[in-house]
Amino acid sequence: MIPYLLLINALGFVFMHWDKYLARKRHWRIPEVVLYLVAILGGSVGCVIGMNLFHHKTRKSNFKLPILGILVVQLILISVFNR
C-alpha cells in the first residue's frame, strides 16, 4: 500500500507542476477531472503540496476546496480504519 500511495502522490505533485507549466506556456491543460481523479485515488497530499508549492489554482476556490475536502475525507477514513 505504501508504494502505491507514494506513486499516486508523486503523480499528483507532478501533474500540478506540469499543469502550471502548461498554463504559463498557454498550451492545452490537464483537465480538472483528471486532477480530481488523482486526488480521489489517494494522491490528495501530493496535489495539495503541488498546489501550494507551485501556486497553482490556489485562488480558484471552486477547485481548491474540493481537493482539500478530498484530503480531509481521506484523513478521516485513515484514522477510522487504523483503530
Side-chain angles (χ1 to χ4, degrees), residues 30-83:
I30 298 172
E32 286 186 358
V33 68
V34 173
L35 300 175
Y36 285 134
L37 184 60
V38 169
I40 289 169
L41 293 175
S44 58
V45 172
C47 287
V48 169
I49 291 171
M51 280 175 56
N52 289 310
L53 185 64
F54 304 119
H55 305 286
H56 186 51
K57 295 186 177 274
T58 54
R59 293 184 184 178
K60 295 184 96 181
S61 60
N62 62 338
F63 180 80
K64 186 177 182 179
L65 292 177
I67 293 289
L68 291 174
I70 292 167
L71 175 62
V72 169
V73 168
Q74 289 175 345
L75 292 174
I76 291 169
L77 290 173
I78 288 169
S79 71
V80 167
F81 287 112
N82 276 334
R83 288 186 179 194

